[in-house]
Amino acid sequence: MNDSENPVTLSGANMPDPKTIGTCRIEARLSSSNSRLYRAVDLSLGKTVVVKLMKPPFDEEPRNVERFLAFGSALVGVASPHVVPVLRAGRDGPTPYIVLDWVDGEDVESVLKREKTLVPQAALRVALDAASGLDAAMKKGVLHGDVRPRHLLRVKGEVKVTAFGLSPATQTAQGRTIAGHPAYVAPEIVAGKMADHRADIYALGCTLFELLVGRPPYGTASADALLACHLHEPFPSLKAQAPRAPPELEGFVSRLVAKDPERRFATYVELLQAGATLLPKLRHLQPSQPILLVEDGRQQGVRVDIPEGELLLGRVAGEGFALDDARVSRRHALVRRSGDYLEVEDLASRNGIRVNGIDVRSRQLFPGDRLEIGDTILRVEGPVAAVSQIPAQQAGRMVGSPVRGAFGDVEVSHPPQRQAQPQNLAEKDAGFAFERLQLLSRLAPLFAGRAGNPETLRFDAIGLVADVLKADHRLVIKVKDNQPVFEAATAHEAQLLSGTLPAMERAMPGQLSLATTVRVNVEDRWSVVLAPIFERGQTVAIAILIRRVGRFDDVALMMLEATCALLTLRADGR
């Protein structure tokens, strides 16, 4: 026998793997389900991509091929950081294909196999990221049809939805064919009724339940038994399966998985707004003290308590935490803890340390941060310092950003007594005097008018700052009882709220102003400045400006602070 008679495939499968598809050179097979996925190099773009092909017998049915290409074409250009980007769809001769951007992430199903469950706040963040991606696809006319942990990728703290297109077919005992995995199928699909985006919302609710409990809502029974449960059985109690889950979270899940689609969230905007309001209430459900979880390495799954004082990370047995890693120095790094305040310092180690992919010598640590030492990755979990707990010498200085997904950037924070005042707008400062005077000249007539609605005045004033600073977005978030009130008119606004929530959580306890940079996905960074607006000594709103390209600086923060101070003076009648 020779190779021409029995071709050897990249994966060892019986089906020959192609060498090229369109302008893509195939390098390796990634997986096999209803489609074949390959890592490839797109020679026209000069970058690594994923090529998705159909798998027999699906590619033998013209309707399936048309649906496959229609899904791919519709998803090209979806502007969401929570959808794996689709670059193009087409045919190479008779072979239909879709080319997706290469995303180096881990599917949430694999995360669950390793971690068993996620803490409530982390689980909810996964669901909200996925909802944002599903909403963006829906606006392109695409419903997913198979939402589950396997089709969610966690990439540097963010979640991206993938696997839009053909869903696996489930054959019932009565000979019916139902699209979607039976553990997550909405009741209306089982009943043979017309389904819309709310079926994806139901599947997302089943996914969130699994993230919190560690298994799908109706377990792993046969396909027919699972379908019958979705149609006829009450949805399992989250409280009974996950006692730590607060009532508000159980209520949120219940809205997602209501048997009647009319009782679910009607839109993704409504879902995202409710979720953003719930997130801050879950912060207390973290571990009672900070820990390091070995996320990747020979000691994967090991949890290390961080004691008060110093914890040595290295390879000295019996001293601190000894890592089984040949690339780790004997005395590699120190993690210092003062109450809930954490920081890490490199001890002139051979290979250094990285936090969230960036080389650092020292860095403040926050939940979700990934500390890379040698070939070991440790994730920070547990309570961290609120603003009021940060050592006094840090106020007004550059400190490590706590914003979820930030990579190596720093933020500037100003406590109330150091925030800029209106007179700062008139100060002489080469390079910025023009922008300050331009803002002052535009604010003057606005404040001279008698705006009867304080909320309208706030929005218009912050809009002027946004215009002068060339911000892409502005938000004015109401604050009630020292908690932000989330109101979004669109899914885009809800996404902005979700993205800036960690920065608001950081600012609220001490009423600090902040300038920080948030990484939204691998390519984009949102530069953010935010400042509180006071009335009679209480925070009534948070003004937020966002720039997608380029970054704000501390002068931009000063201009926003001074404008917020003007609004405070106007509100207090001074």
Side-chain angles (χ1 to χ4, degrees):
M1 294 184 295
N2 56 48
D3 288 346
S4 62
E5 294 173 335
N6 294 280
V8 178
T9 68
L10 294 171
S11 62
N14 294 327
M15 184 186 305
D17 292 312
K19 294 182 178 179
T20 62
I21 290 291
T23 60
C24 298
R25 183 180 70 241
I26 303 299
E27 294 193 331
R29 182 183 283 221
L30 299 175
S31 67
S32 177
S33 54
N34 280 355
S35 58
R36 292 181 286 164
L37 297 179
Y38 296 93
R39 188 183 75 242
V41 174
D42 191 321
L43 302 178
S44 66
L45 299 175
K47 62 185 293 186
T48 300
V49 297
V50 172
V51 175
K52 182 176 183 179
L53 304 181
M54 299 183 71
K55 180 181 177 182
F58 297 98
D59 60 351
E60 297 170 2
E61 171 58 54
R63 288 179 300 177
N64 287 342
V65 174
E66 291 174 7
R67 185 165 178 255
F68 177 81
L69 292 175
F71 266 61
S73 299
L75 288 168
V76 173
V78 170
S80 172
H82 301 300
V83 174
V84 174
V86 176
L87 303 179
R88 64 180 180 277
R91 295 176 184 264
D92 185 346
T95 305
Y97 68 88
I98 296 173
V99 179
L100 303 96
D101 207 357
W102 171 262
V103 176
D104 189 9
E106 181 182 25
D107 68 80
V108 175
E109 182 179 75
S110 298
V111 174
L112 275 180
K113 286 179 180 178
R114 182 177 67 249
E115 301 186 17
K116 308 308 180 187
T117 63
L118 300 184
V119 296
Q121 191 177 52
L124 182 55
R125 286 193 188 281
V126 169
L128 296 183
D129 281 357
S132 182
L134 293 169
D135 181 61
M138 188 184 71
K139 287 177 176 148
K140 287 278 193 171
V142 176
L143 303 181
H144 193 286
D146 192 19
V147 178
R148 50 186 168 122
R150 175 178 291 185
H151 296 157
L152 305 179
L153 295 181
R154 192 163 73 175
V155 184
K156 296 187 182 300
E158 301 287 336
V159 168
K160 297 176 184 290
V161 185
T162 188
F164 290 89
L166 294 177
S167 300
T170 299
Q171 296 289 336
T172 70
Q174 293 77 31
R176 291 178 56 210
T177 299
I178 292 180
H181 193 287
Y184 311 87
V185 172
E188 59 268 29
I189 294 178
V190 182
K193 298 178 181 178
M194 185 69 68
D196 56 20
H197 67 283
R198 291 171 296 183
D200 281 344
I201 288 178
Y202 180 91
L204 184 62
C206 294
T207 297
L208 178 55
F209 181 94
E210 183 174 358
L211 298 181
L212 294 165
V213 174
R215 61 174 179 79
Y218 296 110
T220 55
S222 68
D224 283 278
L226 289 173
L227 295 175
C229 286
H230 285 294
L231 186 59
H232 301 295
E233 294 295 324
F235 198 86
S237 166
L238 176 63
K239 189 67 175 178
Q241 303 293 328
R244 289 201 310 160
E248 297 93 339
L249 184 56
E250 183 167 33
F252 181 81
V253 173
S254 297
R255 285 285 304 278
L256 295 172
V257 298
K259 298 291 183 180
D260 181 357
E262 296 296 327
R263 297 182 60 190
R264 296 174 205 154
F265 291 106
T267 66
Y268 285 108
V269 173
E270 184 183 353
L271 186 162
L272 289 165
Q273 184 172 320
T277 302
L278 179 58
L279 267 175
K281 301 177 182 178
L282 305 181
R283 295 185 66 184
H284 69 285
L285 298 176
Q286 300 288 337
S288 59
Q289 75 173 57
I291 66 169
L292 292 174
L293 170 67
V294 180
E295 190 172 81
D296 194 14
R298 293 183 178 180
Q299 295 153 290
Q300 187 179 85
V302 172
R303 293 173 177 263
V304 183
D305 291 333
I306 304 175
E308 190 77 14
E310 296 181 342
L311 172 68
L312 175 68
L313 302 178
R315 289 193 297 115
V316 180
E319 185 176 354
F321 177 45
L323 288 89
D324 184 10
D325 189 330
R327 295 187 64 240
V328 171
S329 300
R330 285 179 55 79
R331 300 179 63 83
H332 199 108
L334 278 179
V335 175
R336 294 189 177 90
R337 173 186 168 197
S338 177
D340 291 337
Y341 177 78
L342 295 181
E343 66 178 0
V344 63
E345 179 186 357
D346 180 47
L347 298 178
S349 63
R350 181 173 67 254
N351 294 310
I353 60 176
R354 294 162 68 86
V355 176
N356 299 326
I358 299 296
D359 293 315
V360 299
R361 294 184 62 184
S362 64
R363 170 75 185 272
Q364 188 176 353
L365 297 174
F366 296 88
D369 279 349
R370 286 172 168 78
L371 175 60
E372 299 176 42
I373 299 182
D375 293 323
T376 303
I377 299 177
L378 304 107
R379 190 178 73 240
V380 179
E381 291 187 353
V384 298
V387 172
S388 58
Q389 296 170 300
I390 289 181
Q393 63 269 25
Q394 297 280 17
R397 295 177 53 192
M398 306 290 270
V399 297
S401 175
V403 181
R404 178 175 58 94
F407 288 79
D409 286 302
V410 291
E411 68 181 25
V412 178
S413 60
H414 295 160
Q417 63 272 21
R418 296 194 58 178
Q419 291 170 17
Q421 297 301 308
Q423 58 268 27
N424 295 114
L425 292 174
E427 291 179 354
K428 302 295 183 182
D429 185 2
F432 297 98
F434 174 76
E435 286 82 357
R436 293 181 183 185
L437 292 176
Q438 181 188 21
L439 177 59
L440 194 60
S441 65
R442 296 180 66 180
L443 287 173
L446 180 66
F447 278 86
R450 302 191 60 82
N453 189 332
E455 293 182 11
T456 301
L457 179 60
R458 290 175 204 152
F459 193 77
D460 291 344
I462 302 307
L464 290 180
V465 188
D467 188 41
V468 171
L469 294 177
K470 296 180 172 56
D472 296 306
H473 309 287
R474 77 178 185 275
L475 297 169
V476 181
I477 309 300
K478 297 178 186 176
V479 174
K480 184 177 181 181
D481 298 328
N482 212 33
Q483 292 292 329
V485 178
F486 297 98
E487 297 177 342
T490 66
H492 177 63
E493 280 191 15
Q495 180 185 341
L496 294 177
L497 286 174
S498 178
T500 56
L501 174 63
M504 282 189 281
E505 291 177 344
R506 168 80 167 83
M508 281 300 297
Q511 298 177 334
L512 291 184
S513 300
L514 295 171
T516 187
T517 298
V518 183
R519 183 184 285 266
V520 179
N521 57 24
V522 176
E523 292 82 18
D524 294 339
R525 289 175 181 267
W526 287 358
S527 184
V528 179
V529 288
L530 66 160
I533 302 173
F534 300 101
E535 285 186 9
R536 293 176 291 280
Q538 298 295 319
T539 306
V540 294
I542 297 287
I544 304 175
L545 303 181
I546 300 169
R547 182 183 289 167
R548 293 191 66 87
V549 179
R551 64 181 301 164
F552 293 114
D553 52 28
D554 53 353
V555 175
L557 177 59
M558 179 279 299
M559 294 171 72
L560 182 62
E561 288 176 344
T563 303
C564 291
L566 276 172
L567 290 166
T568 296
L569 292 174
R570 174 65 179 266
D572 292 348
R574 288 182 280 165

